[in-house]
Amino acid sequence: MEKTELIINSIRGLCADMIQKANSGHPGAPLGCAPITHLLYSQHMTIPSFNPCSFPNRDRFILSNGHASTLLYSMLFLTTEHMKMEDLMQFRQIGSITPGHPEAHLTKGVEVTTGPLGQGFANAVGIAMAQKHLAARFNKDNFDIFNNHIYCLAGDGCLMEGISNEAASLAGHLKLGNLIVLYDSNDITIDGSTSITFTENVNLRFEALGWHVQTVEKGDADYDGINKAILEAKKVTDKPSLISVRTTIGFRSVWQGTSKVHGTPLGAENKNLFEVDKSVIDFYQEVQKKNNLKVEEWYKLFGEYRKTHPELAGELESMFSEENNNKFYTFDKEKHGDIFEYKKLLEILPKFGEKDIGVSVATRSLSGKCLNALNSKIPGLFGGSADLSPSNNTYLLSSGDFTPKNYEAKNIRFGVREHSMMAICNGIASCRIRGLVPYCATFLNFIQYGLPSVRLSAMSKAKVIYVMTHDSIGLGEDGPTHAPIETLGMLRLIPDLLLFRPCDGNEVSGAYAYALSTENTPSVLALTRQGVPHLKGTSVEAVAKGAYVLNPEVEKFSAIIVATGSEVSLAFSAAQILLKKGVSVRVVSMPAEKLFAQQPLDYKRLVFPKGIPILSVEAGATQTWFKYAHFSLGIDTFGVSAPANKIFAHFELVPEKVAEKLEKMVEYFKENPVYDTLKEF
Amino acid sequence: MEKTELIINSIRGLCADMIQKANSGHPGAPLGCAPITHLLYSQHMTIPSFNPCSFPNRDRFILSNGHASTLLYSMLFLTTEHMKMEDLMQFRQIGSITPGHPEAHLTKGVEVTTGPLGQGFANAVGIAMAQKHLAARFNKDNFDIFNNHIYCLAGDGCLMEGISNEAASLAGHLKLGNLIVLYDSNDITIDGSTSITFTENVNLRFEALGWHVQTVEKGDADYDGINKAILEAKKVTDKPSLISVRTTIGFRSVWQGTSKVHGTPLGAENKNLFEVDKSVIDFYQEVQKKNNLKVEEWYKLFGEYRKTHPELAGELESMFSEENNNKFYTFDKEKHGDIFEYKKLLEILPKFGEKDIGVSVATRSLSGKCLNALNSKIPGLFGGSADLSPSNNTYLLSSGDFTPKNYEAKNIRFGVREHSMMAICNGIASCRIRGLVPYCATFLNFIQYGLPSVRLSAMSKAKVIYVMTHDSIGLGEDGPTHAPIETLGMLRLIPDLLLFRPCDGNEVSGAYAYALSTENTPSVLALTRQGVPHLKGTSVEAVAKGAYVLNPEVEKFSAIIVATGSEVSLAFSAAQILLKKGVSVRVVSMPAEKLFAQQPLDYKRLVFPKGIPILSVEAGATQTWFKYAHFSLGIDTFGVSAPANKIFAHFELVPEKVAEKLEKMVEYFKENPVYDTLKEF
């Protein structure tokens, strides 16, 4: 007991030292929660001391209250070889692996990127779902390949956020017995006591959501109590568990129990020693050895599994990436090949040719065909829709519903819970089983319900496929509350997020091929509700270049129309009208602006030659288009409710009007220099 | 009972007719919920038959499941003079007042714009808060000026969304006894039975949240049961009420009880009669008379109130707008003046002059001073922060905390519930008491948690003030999970939303003056965490023009730097460096791009004269800037965690680098035409 006390206080000391040295950070939660993480990491979790996130059956620790990052870094210092004392000393400095909030892509051992409250909770639900799925698919008699637990630490803030209630409701419904949430119930938030705003009965709420609930009343000192509760929670296999641990924020510090300690360094009396008693280090060296032995045993087990279940083992191996290799075991990639090789994906996906030109199909429907074609060849598509699967066309036929009785199935019924759906997908992607690719779906407009999670997909390099249908005023009668206007532009502004807006079947296939062939990049597919014609000149492969010429046969032209998605056929029709008037126009499809931006200047100039004016056409906000276009046609007000064709006419997005505007542009540039929008400096 | 049956079936018939004629819409919920709305509108709600939303003490009906819009339109047809049979026949057509989902700014009698699920639920909580607040401030012995009820109809989808749990938790905490939610519990969502994804115990959850909960088991036929439950709920004054009404989706239709009936017209056997039995019309004529009498009584009561409590009556009257006038009673605006007259606001707000130049203050802190200055003169500021009030500087000193014991107070403690906070503000704004102005606050990055509500503020013309601090990488060590990059650009893309990014004290005051002087426009204020210097040349009034020249004394210049917020002083410093090199530069501050876009071309050309190259500088995504600038400096990757000054240096947003880039731009334009970014056609 004394030793436990010493260890826990050493962890607290490290956290306080880091914050003091950085003169910035949040000591409150780490000081209060150090007993919890010490017990988890020393007695319950199995993670290897090297490349911890590469071990497929590792236990997970998700820090939903990401501002307690020093606690996670301290635990990684004690349990892995990747976090050194020098790293702790670099807390919150440029180039360090110890940023203000945990960033998964930056730091080995950090499972998910957290900080925005509630996200980690939903990520944990996603990981628990993924592990249940993998266990159901790959576990066999005597081969518990996947039997790990997902532990999540969450604070009052996390549990006030709506996203966590959504995720908790789904977790209860799905009976995720491998999920154990430790709730740091400390009665304090930034504004003061939780009594000023958060007086609900959290435990009862979680019971209503189908959870197993326990309380540890004296979480600061009752280590046995915490431990027993975790053991008890592990025994409950048909429900997720909530353990409310009553703690004192900033325990043992000068401001313990107050809101001030949440986010203020503890002050000068703390001498920045960064010293840890040797007995503490030794203790955790033993933990490391124990963990590494367990990991070694797992790889031995997997070796046996390969002999007994060669096909399943092969399938699983094919889902791993080289990244996951480690010194115990090398998955045989040579043997299985790369399931996401771009050319192989192209072979799987539908292509459209001469005979299809003019046939009208909604791109959402084409997307459904792609998903199902892929699902027949690729092992790990795993996802679904927020209660719109008939509209989003995302159901994987013959793959069944993911339910407590059928975790093997691949179709997730997320319910009307967009935000947690997207965070759950981040959780699935964070499993770093490369072949397990989460996808999710709703109307494009409602991607805003989960935008904080979309942002985190991009930041944490989580390969999530967002299938977003009903992507413009083309959705028609549902009207402005459902019609995205600003959304395409918004998504283009998010760093490292790919937005595809394909114009027909070839481009839908091209978008899927590219999105799946990336290693670490999330993609949004914006798809139409309404039918759009297959077009002459479209190409599956050209999508990878971001933008390309649809009518290269037109060699001399006085203007260019660049368009995306449903407006590409509109651009074509306008070009035909203009041709009759003797005005030759190049038509450019730009299904993926960010990919075009990455092309070499030479290619860009092939598409947009110097001296030719460019008109952009997209049924959405115009302001992001001036990066490429000299003039932009779009919609800068909210939509209206009416049949789709009438709305397009209302906003003058019809061939005659586009042709008219283009002529005006050509007129303007007769008297003004045609400047270079591709200029760089 | 037979007559009730006839009326309810007539309502169902109208809904089905509308959907059939439009060949588009959602019959399921209206058919199932017609008994509920009939009982509410005929027996419980008092709304005048004319200008229903102008009566301050009206009962509210909020249709959170906005896809059941035909039901709301049918009720307005029966209870008001503004909805005619012709309007019902124009359901989902351009220019009609009966769009696919209810739009408050379009249709008299529609309280809030709903459709995106869960929003209406949170709006209702906001309205209940506003009414409690008004009652506490203005009710006196024998004068129950405000004693209305807020009824909200919500479906399974609404209750799955996280936003509704946030709002329900706060409503329970605040003991909002005036709020009654009727939960259309029909076991069906678009994907099928709720059993596939939604099996939590909703009633128990709401009990855990502090609600009074009842169930009506046979909601299709047990009209008495529904009625009794509503009466019972009204008796409970210290808790919000949930009434779970078990209904059959699409009751009495061919697909009743199935997911198909949610969103599919019922088919040709429905003959589009739009006929209603005269007895039904007569019945509701009587309801209208009864309601109008009650309204008349209220205005009589208010007349007495004016005599007994002239000051309070005057204060309340000063908060009303002309819009609210009606034939019973004219509020005396002449007498009270316009509390939001722009010039008066300027007098209230702080101004900064010569002596302040160079003094460094964070704009979030200046914002706090503005809010408090305004609060001392304007009656109805009402809002707060999502648990960040010390960081957001939004606390109204000496105005107390809004609690069940002190509803009179003006500081709302929203908790860590950003999404519902923003929807609650939409609800408060929807009360159409012009002088009651909701504001809310969090870090700018976390506006994404509530973006669907921000969008609805703009669409429904709800004057909400969003105080968003920590508006860039300038927040420092908290790092990329908290640092907005894409956010400023995103907000600029939302139609009818004003984004202000003031650079110093004068501009903060100018932003508040403009935001408050608008009638129906929401505003976002993006404010710094870090100190920024008061600058020479800034102006409170010029903010209203969106952009203006800071150094007009420089008459000849070879380039322009346009910047916003914290980057304006950076632009100034760069200009000083350049001046030493003999390069003269104009510095333009653009605190409100959308207001600049609305200026006449003449003014725009004064700011950006033809033939002068323009460089934009903003610590965020660059892509929206090409509308104005020839080159753009900003950040198109995620941020990093470090002290703020080091991050600015990391991204080369320092005077030397900006000066360097500007020189390169000038160089470029020596060999290329300086084109006109303000061109129109």
Side-chain angles (χ1 to χ4, degrees):
Chain A
M1 190 66 168
E2 264 177 43
K3 182 153 183 195
T4 304
E5 190 80 9
L6 172 70
I7 298 173
I8 290 170
N9 283 338
S10 299
I11 296 169
R12 289 189 176 116
L14 280 176
C15 297
D17 290 349
M18 292 168 73
I19 292 162
Q20 193 56 36
K21 182 153 196 293
N23 196 25
S24 170
H26 302 83
L31 270 54
C33 297
I36 296 172
T37 54
H38 166 60
L39 293 167
L40 280 178
Y41 272 86
S42 63
Q43 302 206 31
H44 297 281
M45 285 172 56
T46 301
I47 56 163
S49 65
F50 45 88
N51 255 347
C53 293
S54 74
F55 175 48
N57 191 38
R58 70 196 178 278
D59 294 305
R60 304 300 208 284
F61 175 71
I62 307 300
L63 186 74
S64 190
N65 47 349
H67 51 272
S69 58
T70 51
L71 186 56
L72 175 53
Y73 301 147
S74 297
M75 296 318 300
L76 293 177
F77 166 73
L78 292 169
T79 57
T80 77
E81 61 186 31
H82 302 286
M83 182 67 71
K84 309 289 186 194
M85 193 62 94
E86 305 89 83
D87 297 314
L88 300 189
M89 291 176 177
Q90 286 300 305
F91 180 55
R92 297 190 154 219
Q93 303 308 311
I94 268 180
S96 81
I97 60 168
T98 48
H101 293 82
E103 296 179 37
H105 69 287
L106 211 62
T107 313
K108 282 189 177 170
V110 171
E111 298 285 352
V112 291
T113 298
T114 54
L117 293 174
Q119 298 289 334
F121 185 108
N123 297 154
V125 172
I127 299 170
M129 288 164 66
Q131 297 296 316
K132 282 282 186 195
H133 175 68
L134 292 169
R137 279 174 66 181
F138 295 104
N139 286 7
K140 292 291 157 191
D141 284 350
N142 303 319
F143 290 103
D144 265 8
I145 301 297
F146 294 102
N147 63 357
N148 50 352
H149 283 90
I150 290 83
Y151 301 98
C152 172
L153 183 60
D156 291 300
C158 293
L159 298 195
M160 273 189 265
E161 293 283 8
I163 184 177
S164 62
N165 191 72
E166 290 178 8
S169 175
L170 187 60
H173 171 78
L174 291 173
K175 303 184 189 297
L176 301 175
N178 55 346
L179 173 64
I180 297 171
V181 174
L182 294 117
Y183 164 33
D184 173 27
S185 175
N186 63 28
D187 291 341
I188 294 292
T189 66
I190 293 172
D191 271 14
S193 161
T194 53
S195 67
I196 67 175
T197 190
F198 192 45
T199 50
E200 63 170 70
N201 186 333
V202 174
N203 282 8
L204 186 61
R205 168 157 65 99
F206 274 79
E207 280 172 23
L209 299 176
W211 286 53
H212 176 256
V213 177
Q214 304 173 75
T215 301
V216 180
E217 284 295 345
K218 297 185 175 172
D220 296 324
D222 184 8
Y223 309 141
D224 265 5
I226 298 174
N227 217 20
K228 278 183 191 153
I230 297 171
L231 287 168
E232 191 62 32
K234 284 159 102 170
K235 283 187 205 152
V236 178
T237 57
D238 63 345
K239 284 180 176 186
S241 272
L242 181 81
I243 305 175
S244 290
V245 188
R246 309 272 306 153
T247 70
T248 304
I249 191 169
F251 189 65
R252 296 251 158 110
S253 75
V254 53
W255 301 312
Q256 78 168 38
T258 71
S259 60
K260 184 168 185 185
V261 79
H262 166 85
T264 319
L266 296 172
E269 74 271 25
N270 187 310
K271 295 184 197 71
N272 301 323
L273 295 173
F274 286 101
E275 278 175 15
V276 179
D277 196 272
K278 186 171 175 298
S279 69
V280 176
I281 301 290
D282 288 348
F283 175 86
Y284 265 101
Q285 285 294 326
E286 288 305 310
V287 170
Q288 290 191 22
K289 274 186 204 159
K290 180 192 71 181
N291 280 342
N292 290 345
L293 271 173
K294 282 193 189 169
V295 173
E296 197 161 4
E297 277 165 25
W298 186 90
Y299 279 101
K300 275 185 198 149
L301 181 75
F302 192 80
E304 291 302 311
Y305 182 76
R306 286 182 81 198
K307 292 176 199 157
T308 325
H309 301 286
E311 278 193 33
L312 279 175
E315 187 177 340
L316 186 54
E317 284 175 301
S318 78
M319 294 165 74
F320 280 78
S321 68
E322 283 180 283
E323 265 192 299
N324 282 320
N325 293 345
N326 60 49
K327 62 185 173 185
F328 279 120
Y329 187 90
T330 305
F331 285 107
D332 194 347
K333 193 179 161 181
E334 283 292 308
K335 184 170 149 195
H336 302 287
D338 180 359
I339 50 173
F340 295 124
E341 197 190 327
Y342 181 66
K343 283 188 183 164
K344 277 195 202 164
L345 291 165
L346 289 186
E347 282 166 24
I348 297 169
L349 290 156
K351 273 159 287 292
F352 301 86
E354 204 68 40
K355 69 179 190 329
D356 305 298
I357 291 170
V359 178
S360 186
V361 193
T363 55
R364 62 172 166 149
S365 160
L366 295 158
S367 161
K369 295 209 164 61
C370 286
L371 279 170
N372 277 289
L374 291 163
N375 187 43
S376 66
K377 302 279 183 181
I378 287 177
L381 276 181
F382 186 43
S385 159
D387 192 45
L388 287 169
S389 63
S391 297
N392 299 143
N393 296 85
T394 42
Y395 201 80
L396 303 176
L397 304 169
S398 76
S399 280
D401 278 12
F402 179 79
T403 66
K405 287 184 181 160
N406 190 16
Y407 287 131
E408 198 169 344
K410 295 175 178 178
N411 286 293
I412 302 171
R413 303 285 197 175
F414 286 105
V416 189
R417 303 179 179 108
E418 297 85 3
H419 198 171
S420 64
M421 169 176 79
M422 299 178 193
I424 282 169
C425 285
N426 284 339
I428 297 169
S430 82
C431 292
R432 305 199 196 179
I433 290 180
R434 178 170 169 259
L436 191 69
V437 181
Y439 71 95
C440 64
T442 182
F443 289 174
L444 178 64
N445 191 54
F446 300 131
I447 199 169
Q448 289 187 357
Y449 268 73
L451 213 57
S453 301
V454 177
R455 180 176 214 263
L456 286 169
S457 300
M459 192 183 298
S460 63
K461 304 189 186 301
K463 181 169 154 183
V464 177
I465 313 281
Y466 292 93
V467 183
M468 300 287 124
T469 69
H470 296 59
D471 72 347
S472 78
I473 51 160
L475 64 74
E477 290 91 342
D478 273 351
T481 56
H482 287 53
I485 293 292
E486 69 281 22
T487 321
L488 295 167
M490 282 184 166
L491 296 171
R492 291 195 181 108
L493 298 179
I494 299 179
D496 303 330
L497 176 74
L498 290 177
L499 168 67
F500 293 92
R501 191 167 188 245
C503 74
D504 72 355
N506 285 329
E507 289 195 356
V508 173
S509 291
Y512 271 104
Y514 195 94
L516 281 166
S517 70
T518 65
E519 279 302 313
N520 302 306
T521 309
S523 295
V524 176
L525 276 73
L527 303 162
T528 66
R529 175 194 187 215
Q530 74 276 23
V532 290
H534 289 291
L535 295 173
K536 191 161 170 291
T538 60
S539 149
V540 182
E541 293 85 351
V543 171
K545 301 214 160 187
Y548 63 106
V549 179
L550 289 188
N551 55 353
E553 68 279 8
V554 178
E555 287 173 6
K556 290 190 87 175
F557 43 92
S558 49
I560 300 170
I561 306 182
V562 56
T564 74
S566 47
E567 286 69 70
V568 176
S569 67
L570 168 60
F572 249 126
S573 304
Q576 278 160 0
I577 291 174
L578 288 159
L579 193 62
K580 285 178 194 158
K581 292 181 165 186
V583 183
S584 231
V585 173
R586 166 174 277 194
V587 177
V588 170
S589 177
M590 191 183 270
E593 183 264 320
K594 225 171 250 169
L595 293 181
F596 183 68
Q598 293 166 9
Q599 298 305 311
L601 188 59
D602 283 356
Y603 177 75
K604 290 182 189 169
R605 290 224 187 276
L606 280 181
V607 176
F608 296 126
K610 263 191 179 175
I612 312 284
I614 303 163
L615 177 72
S616 75
V617 186
E618 183 174 76
T622 57
Q623 198 165 344
T624 57
W625 277 102
F626 297 100
K627 182 174 174 186
Y628 301 100
H630 298 90
F631 285 97
S632 180
L633 296 181
I635 306 172
D636 288 313
T637 61
F638 289 112
V640 294
S641 166
N645 59 343
K646 296 203 172 158
I647 308 179
F648 274 100
H650 175 80
F651 287 110
E652 304 198 337
L653 292 173
V654 288
E656 298 70 26
K657 291 287 178 182
V658 172
E660 204 176 283
K661 297 282 168 105
L662 186 130
E663 282 190 289
K664 279 192 188 171
M665 177 179 78
V666 170
E667 209 57 41
Y668 173 89
F669 279 112
K670 280 182 182 158
E671 288 166 22
N672 293 278
V674 181
Y675 56 92
D676 179 15
T677 58
L678 298 176
K679 65 193 180 303
E680 293 172 352
F681 80 121
Chain B
M1 189 68 167
E2 264 178 43
K3 182 155 183 194
T4 304
E5 190 80 8
L6 172 70
I7 298 173
I8 291 170
N9 283 337
S10 298
I11 296 169
R12 288 189 176 118
L14 279 177
C15 296
D17 290 348
M18 291 168 74
I19 293 162
Q20 193 56 37
K21 181 153 197 292
N23 195 26
S24 169
H26 301 83
L31 269 54
C33 297
I36 296 171
T37 54
H38 166 61
L39 293 167
L40 280 178
Y41 273 86
S42 63
Q43 303 207 30
H44 297 281
M45 286 171 54
T46 301
I47 56 164
S49 65
F50 46 88
N51 255 348
C53 293
S54 75
F55 175 48
N57 191 39
R58 69 196 179 277
D59 293 306
R60 305 298 208 286
F61 176 71
I62 307 300
L63 186 74
S64 189
N65 47 350
H67 52 270
S69 58
T70 51
L71 186 55
L72 175 53
Y73 300 146
S74 297
M75 296 319 300
L76 292 177
F77 165 74
L78 292 170
T79 58
T80 76
E81 61 187 31
H82 303 286
M83 182 66 70
K84 310 288 187 195
M85 192 62 94
E86 305 89 84
D87 298 313
L88 301 188
M89 291 176 177
Q90 286 300 304
F91 180 53
R92 297 190 154 219
Q93 303 307 311
I94 267 178
S96 81
I97 60 168
T98 48
H101 294 82
E103 296 179 37
H105 69 288
L106 210 63
T107 313
K108 282 188 178 172
V110 171
E111 297 285 352
V112 291
T113 298
T114 54
L117 293 174
Q119 298 289 334
F121 186 108
N123 297 153
V125 171
I127 299 169
M129 288 164 67
Q131 297 297 316
K132 281 282 184 194
H133 175 68
L134 292 169
R137 280 174 65 180
F138 296 104
N139 286 6
K140 292 289 156 191
D141 285 349
N142 302 320
F143 289 104
D144 266 8
I145 300 298
F146 294 102
N147 62 358
N148 51 352
H149 282 90
I150 291 83
Y151 301 97
C152 173
L153 184 60
D156 290 300
C158 294
L159 297 195
M160 274 190 265
E161 293 282 7
I163 184 177
S164 62
N165 191 72
E166 290 178 7
S169 175
L170 187 59
H173 170 78
L174 291 173
K175 302 184 189 299
L176 301 175
N178 55 346
L179 173 65
I180 297 170
V181 174
L182 294 117
Y183 164 31
D184 173 27
S185 175
N186 63 29
D187 292 339
I188 295 292
T189 66
I190 293 173
D191 270 14
S193 161
T194 53
S195 67
I196 67 175
T197 190
F198 191 46
T199 49
E200 64 170 68
N201 185 333
V202 173
N203 282 8
L204 185 61
R205 167 156 67 98
F206 274 78
E207 280 172 20
L209 299 175
W211 286 54
H212 176 256
V213 177
Q214 303 173 77
T215 301
V216 179
E217 284 295 345
K218 297 187 175 172
D220 296 323
D222 184 7
Y223 309 141
D224 263 5
I226 298 173
N227 216 19
K228 277 182 191 155
I230 298 171
L231 286 168
E232 191 61 31
K234 286 160 103 170
K235 283 186 205 153
V236 179
T237 57
D238 62 345
K239 283 181 176 184
S241 273
L242 181 80
I243 305 174
S244 290
V245 187
R246 310 272 305 153
T247 69
T248 304
I249 191 169
F251 190 65
R252 296 248 158 112
S253 76
V254 53
W255 302 311
Q256 78 169 39
T258 71
S259 59
K260 184 168 184 184
V261 79
H262 166 85
T264 319
L266 296 172
E269 74 271 27
N270 186 310
K271 294 185 198 70
N272 301 323
L273 295 173
F274 287 101
E275 276 174 16
V276 179
D277 195 273
K278 186 170 176 298
S279 69
V280 176
I281 302 290
D282 288 348
F283 175 86
Y284 266 101
Q285 285 294 327
E286 289 305 311
V287 170
Q288 290 191 21
K289 273 187 204 159
K290 179 191 72 182
N291 280 342
N292 290 345
L293 270 174
K294 282 192 188 170
V295 172
E296 197 160 4
E297 277 164 26
W298 186 91
Y299 280 100
K300 275 185 199 149
L301 181 76
F302 192 80
E304 292 302 312
Y305 182 76
R306 287 182 79 197
K307 294 176 198 156
T308 325
H309 302 284
E311 278 193 31
L312 279 175
E315 187 177 340
L316 186 54
E317 283 175 302
S318 78
M319 294 166 73
F320 280 79
S321 68
E322 282 179 284
E323 265 191 300
N324 282 318
N325 294 344
N326 61 47
K327 62 184 173 185
F328 280 121
Y329 186 92
T330 305
F331 286 106
D332 193 347
K333 193 178 161 182
E334 284 291 308
K335 184 170 149 195
H336 302 287
D338 180 359
I339 50 173
F340 295 124
E341 197 189 326
Y342 180 67
K343 283 188 183 166
K344 277 194 202 165
L345 293 166
L346 290 186
E347 283 165 25
I348 298 169
L349 290 157
K351 272 158 287 295
F352 302 85
E354 204 67 41
K355 70 176 189 331
D356 305 298
I357 290 171
V359 178
S360 186
V361 194
T363 55
R364 63 172 166 149
S365 160
L366 295 158
S367 160
K369 294 207 166 62
C370 286
L371 279 170
N372 277 288
L374 290 163
N375 187 43
S376 65
K377 302 279 183 182
I378 287 177
L381 277 180
F382 185 43
S385 159
D387 192 45
L388 287 170
S389 62
S391 297
N392 300 142
N393 296 84
T394 42
Y395 201 80
L396 304 177
L397 304 169
S398 74
S399 280
D401 278 10
F402 180 79
T403 66
K405 287 183 181 160
N406 189 16
Y407 288 132
E408 197 169 344
K410 295 176 179 178
N411 286 293
I412 302 172
R413 302 287 196 174
F414 285 105
V416 188
R417 304 180 179 106
E418 297 85 3
H419 198 172
S420 63
M421 169 175 79
M422 299 178 193
I424 282 169
C425 285
N426 284 340
I428 297 169
S430 82
C431 291
R432 308 200 193 177
I433 290 181
R434 179 170 169 260
L436 191 69
V437 181
Y439 70 95
C440 63
T442 182
F443 289 173
L444 177 64
N445 191 53
F446 300 130
I447 199 169
Q448 289 187 357
Y449 268 74
L451 214 57
S453 302
V454 177
R455 179 176 216 261
L456 286 170
S457 299
M459 191 182 299
S460 64
K461 305 189 186 299
K463 181 169 153 182
V464 177
I465 313 282
Y466 292 92
V467 183
M468 300 287 123
T469 69
H470 297 58
D471 73 347
S472 77
I473 51 161
L475 63 75
E477 290 90 342
D478 273 350
T481 56
H482 287 52
I485 293 293
E486 69 281 22
T487 321
L488 295 167
M490 280 183 167
L491 295 171
R492 290 195 181 106
L493 299 179
I494 299 179
D496 303 330
L497 176 74
L498 290 177
L499 168 67
F500 293 92
R501 191 167 188 245
C503 74
D504 73 355
N506 284 329
E507 288 195 359
V508 173
S509 291
Y512 272 104
Y514 195 95
L516 281 166
S517 71
T518 64
E519 279 301 315
N520 302 306
T521 310
S523 295
V524 177
L525 275 74
L527 303 162
T528 66
R529 175 194 185 216
Q530 75 275 23
V532 290
H534 288 292
L535 295 173
K536 189 162 171 291
T538 60
S539 149
V540 181
E541 292 85 352
V543 172
K545 300 213 161 187
Y548 63 106
V549 179
L550 289 189
N551 55 352
E553 68 278 8
V554 177
E555 287 175 5
K556 290 191 85 175
F557 42 91
S558 49
I560 299 170
I561 307 183
V562 57
T564 73
S566 47
E567 286 69 71
V568 177
S569 67
L570 169 60
F572 249 126
S573 303
Q576 276 160 2
I577 290 173
L578 288 158
L579 193 61
K580 285 177 193 158
K581 292 182 166 185
V583 183
S584 230
V585 172
R586 165 173 279 192
V587 178
V588 170
S589 177
M590 192 184 269
E593 184 265 319
K594 225 170 253 170
L595 293 181
F596 183 68
Q598 292 166 10
Q599 299 305 312
L601 189 59
D602 283 357
Y603 177 75
K604 290 182 188 169
R605 292 225 185 275
L606 279 181
V607 176
F608 297 127
K610 263 191 177 174
I612 312 283
I614 303 164
L615 178 72
S616 74
V617 186
E618 183 174 75
T622 58
Q623 198 165 346
T624 57
W625 277 102
F626 297 101
K627 182 174 173 187
Y628 302 100
H630 298 90
F631 284 96
S632 180
L633 296 180
I635 307 172
D636 288 312
T637 61
F638 289 112
V640 295
S641 166
N645 59 342
K646 296 203 172 157
I647 308 180
F648 275 99
H650 175 79
F651 287 111
E652 304 198 336
L653 292 173
V654 288
E656 299 70 26
K657 291 287 178 184
V658 172
E660 204 176 285
K661 297 282 169 106
L662 186 131
E663 283 189 288
K664 278 193 188 171
M665 177 179 77
V666 171
E667 210 56 41
Y668 173 90
F669 279 112
K670 281 181 181 158
E671 288 166 22
N672 292 280
V674 183
Y675 55 92
D676 179 16
T677 58
L678 298 176
K679 65 195 180 302
E680 292 172 353
F681 81 121

